[in-house]
Amino acid sequence: MTAFSKLFKQTFIYGLATVLPRMLSFLLVPLYTSEAVLANPSEYGKVSVIFSYFVLFNVLLAYGMETAFFRFFNKETDKNKVVSTSTISLIITSLGFFALAMVFQNQIASVIDIDVKYIKLVIWILLLDALVIIPFAWLRANEKPMQYAIIKILNVAVNIGLNLFFLLVLKSLANNGSVFKSIYIPNFEISYIFIANLVASAITLVAMFSFFTKLTYKFDKELWKQMLRYAIPVLVAGIAFSINETFDRILLKELLPSDIAEREIGMYSACYKLALFMTLFATAYRLGIEPYFFSHANTKNPQKNYANILEFFVAFGSIILLAVVVFADVLKPLIIRSEAYWEAMWIVPIILLANFCLGIYHNLSVWYKITDRTRFGAYISVLGAIITLVINILFIQKYSYKASAIATLVAYASMMLLSYGFGRKYYPIPYNLKKIGVYLTVSIMLSVISFYKYRGDYIVGISLLVVFLGLVIMLEKKQLMSFLRNR
């Protein structure tokens, strides 16, 4: 099997592990936005704000150790030492966070203006999720994508199953006077959402239990210091990324009038979900290529393969961008059930393109990861976070969530261009800029025409999509034939 065939096979399986669960999780958006559960966008807005804090604290609790694990796992001869040291580090810091957060839960709830009953559940979920960071990284590093996929899918299946039970079934069972009457609580929907998440996280930890029982618990202090030096810039970049990704919801809550803030957040967050197709593709691709980048860094002429990988990513991403834009109004009622949320559909092409730029950035970021210049990742991400904060703070009060969508696009596009610029200097890769530029320019142009001029005209939209598919096939015919011959 060629290196590319192996890469695409693993990317497909990781994609299954990421895309299938999140496609199933699409069920949760129609569920949450239905008349029976959270018909009022303000309620969904509350959930979205809490999940925004989830992203930030997940980054803090991982503190770049996952990326450091991949780097040193491929660099050190004693791989067990790397696994053990990183695992012990995360166990200690996670338990320390848990103890402090539980002691100061009331103060935390007061500062971020979230009910303390939700804070307790969030603290438990954060602990359980942090403990499985290295076990999942170990599965990826040892090329066990099937096991990774099964556990990931189990997590989301349990989460979705419990959401459906708590939010749709439990009330009916309780009204019939069954034993379930004792566990049903009226107006408890938001808590049920986080309880389902908690149980799913607990089951995931149990599924990973064999990893902890087989581990040789030896802590190498010197190795840990080296890993931490590598990880800290990744942590800074991760915090900046979390600001780019979710902090706009928090800023919307703080900067908009209190009587409309949660409603605006709810609409924005629901329509943001339509960009999930691009996020799923980019995430699956990243999960497949990140171990590949490290393991092939010392092979002969890896730059050529890295260039081809980005070219394929841009080609497929451009197709996804145009396809989702063309069929956005078909997908809309399937995913966002209440018309009360549809007002924010304007953001969909903007957020799709923003996430496309982010995916390209992750591909470009190979240069600073394999040359141990992770501080550049921090610099770039911090600049992106500053752009996000400045645009949101200056324009939210006038343009609401439209400012947040534009800020996301400008931030990710800037990060993409900066990474390319620095990469040319420190680790030149022969990207085919002409072909990549054609894909980006044509797909963006056709998306704008389809959504903002001929929205709802599917004869025009599908025709544009067919034309673009023909362009991709024509330009990639040689590569596709080569790939099929070497499967």
Side-chain angles (χ1 to χ4, degrees):
M1 182 182 291
T2 66
F4 266 135
S5 297
K6 185 177 181 181
L7 170 62
F8 279 105
K9 180 182 177 182
Q10 290 196 11
T11 299
F12 173 77
I13 299 174
Y14 284 125
L16 185 67
T18 305
V19 175
L20 183 57
R22 294 195 186 185
M23 286 298 289
L24 290 173
S25 73
F26 261 145
L27 291 172
L28 296 181
V29 180
L31 177 63
Y32 295 161
T33 59
S34 67
E35 297 291 337
V37 182
L38 303 177
N40 187 342
S42 297
E43 292 298 302
Y44 188 58
K46 291 178 183 178
V47 176
S48 299
V49 170
I50 296 172
F51 276 115
S52 297
Y53 282 109
F54 259 117
V55 174
L56 176 60
F57 279 96
N58 278 329
V59 170
L60 289 171
L61 287 173
Y63 54 91
M65 195 55 69
E66 181 184 29
T67 303
F69 169 85
F70 280 119
R71 178 57 175 159
F72 285 85
F73 189 84
N74 286 283
K75 185 178 179 181
E76 297 287 325
T77 53
D78 188 351
K79 300 186 185 304
N80 290 328
K81 182 173 65 175
V82 176
V83 177
S84 177
T85 300
S86 55
T87 301
I88 292 170
S89 179
L90 274 169
I91 289 174
I92 292 172
T93 54
S94 300
L95 292 175
F97 159 81
F98 177 78
L100 285 172
M102 280 299 188
V103 169
F104 296 105
Q105 59 183 282
N106 291 313
Q107 289 85 347
I108 295 170
S110 176
V111 169
I112 63 178
D113 193 24
I114 292 175
D115 197 312
V116 71
K117 66 184 178 184
Y118 304 140
I119 294 294
K120 291 179 181 178
L121 293 169
V122 167
I123 292 169
W124 274 103
I125 295 167
L126 288 170
L127 170 67
L128 297 175
D129 288 348
L131 292 175
V132 296
I133 289 171
I134 297 302
F136 274 124
W138 181 86
L139 289 176
R140 289 172 58 198
N142 284 277
E143 299 183 353
K144 296 180 181 291
M146 284 302 297
Q147 190 175 343
Y148 178 96
I150 289 168
I151 297 173
K152 284 286 187 181
I153 293 170
L154 173 66
N155 174 284
V156 179
V158 170
N159 198 338
I160 292 173
L162 288 176
N163 267 278
L164 293 171
F165 173 75
F166 285 136
L167 300 176
L168 293 183
V169 179
L170 181 58
K171 183 177 180 179
S172 299
L173 293 175
N175 289 338
N176 291 331
S178 67
V179 67
F180 295 103
K181 189 174 183 178
S182 60
I183 64 172
Y184 173 70
I185 304 173
N187 303 315
F188 203 63
E189 288 84 3
I190 295 177
S191 290
Y192 282 139
I193 289 170
F194 293 110
I195 290 170
N197 199 320
L198 175 61
V199 174
S201 295
I203 290 174
T204 300
L205 181 60
V206 171
M208 288 290 196
F209 191 69
S210 62
F211 170 87
F212 295 99
T213 58
K214 294 176 182 177
L215 188 66
T216 304
Y217 289 89
K218 291 182 180 179
F219 187 79
D220 188 308
K221 188 176 179 180
E222 288 305 313
L223 173 63
W224 179 74
K225 288 180 180 179
Q226 294 176 42
M227 295 183 75
L228 205 59
R229 281 195 293 269
Y230 185 92
I232 291 301
V234 179
L235 167 62
V236 174
I239 293 171
F241 170 76
S242 69
I243 290 173
N244 290 329
E245 187 69 11
T246 62
F247 212 71
D248 50 7
R249 279 75 155 183
I250 296 169
L251 290 173
L252 286 165
K253 185 172 186 286
E254 296 298 323
L255 297 176
L256 289 175
S258 58
D259 58 328
I260 66 167
E262 288 179 341
R263 178 178 178 274
E264 297 280 290
I265 296 167
M267 293 190 299
Y268 175 61
S269 299
C271 291
Y272 201 106
K273 292 292 185 183
L274 287 174
L276 191 61
F277 293 99
M278 184 66 75
T279 307
L280 294 173
F281 167 65
T283 302
Y285 212 86
R286 181 178 61 82
L287 289 172
I289 66 171
E290 196 167 61
Y292 177 88
F293 282 157
F294 286 118
S295 62
H296 287 74
N298 296 319
T299 60
K300 184 179 179 181
N301 193 20
Q303 290 92 333
K304 184 178 179 181
N305 283 340
Y306 297 159
N308 288 334
I309 285 170
L310 179 62
E311 186 181 312
F312 288 139
F313 178 85
V314 173
F316 284 116
S318 297
I319 294 170
I320 292 170
L321 170 65
L322 183 55
V324 176
V325 166
V326 168
F327 294 107
D329 286 314
V330 175
L331 297 168
K332 175 181 68 179
L334 300 176
I335 297 168
I336 308 166
R337 302 304 294 273
S338 173
E339 293 185 21
Y341 292 85
W342 294 357
E343 183 182 315
M345 281 294 293
W346 182 90
I347 70 162
V348 172
I350 307 296
I351 297 300
L352 274 166
L353 182 56
N355 280 282
F356 190 15
C357 290
L358 179 63
I360 296 172
Y361 165 75
H362 283 308
N363 278 266
L364 293 170
S365 68
V366 59
W367 71 267
Y368 68 72
K369 290 182 178 179
I370 64 175
T371 59
D372 292 346
R373 290 186 171 92
T374 52
R375 67 184 185 279
F376 281 92
Y379 300 154
I380 294 168
S381 295
V382 167
L383 180 62
I386 292 171
I387 291 171
T388 296
L389 292 172
V390 169
I391 295 177
N392 274 289
I393 290 169
L394 290 179
F395 298 108
I396 272 180
Q397 290 181 324
K398 185 174 182 180
Y399 298 105
S400 186
Y401 53 75
K402 290 184 179 181
S404 298
I406 295 294
T408 304
L409 174 57
V410 174
Y412 288 155
S414 300
M415 290 166 60
M416 174 185 71
L417 294 172
L418 279 170
S419 185
Y420 172 73
F422 283 125
R424 286 186 66 185
K425 179 179 179 180
Y426 293 103
Y427 191 81
I429 296 175
Y431 295 119
N432 189 335
L433 295 182
K434 183 177 180 181
K435 189 183 289 187
I436 289 171
V438 168
Y439 289 148
L440 284 173
T441 302
V442 175
S443 64
I444 293 170
M445 181 182 67
L446 296 182
S447 296
V448 169
I449 292 171
S450 175
F451 193 84
Y452 295 108
K453 185 171 178 61
Y454 293 102
R455 184 175 170 186
D457 188 334
Y458 294 106
I459 294 176
V460 173
I462 293 171
S463 298
L464 295 175
L465 182 58
V466 170
V467 167
F468 187 73
L469 285 171
L471 174 67
V472 173
I473 291 170
M474 181 181 70
L475 294 180
E476 299 296 338
K477 184 177 180 180
K478 187 182 293 185
Q479 291 280 17
L480 289 171
M481 294 301 294
S482 175
F483 174 74
L484 291 171
R485 283 196 299 268
N486 295 306
R487 281 190 305 167

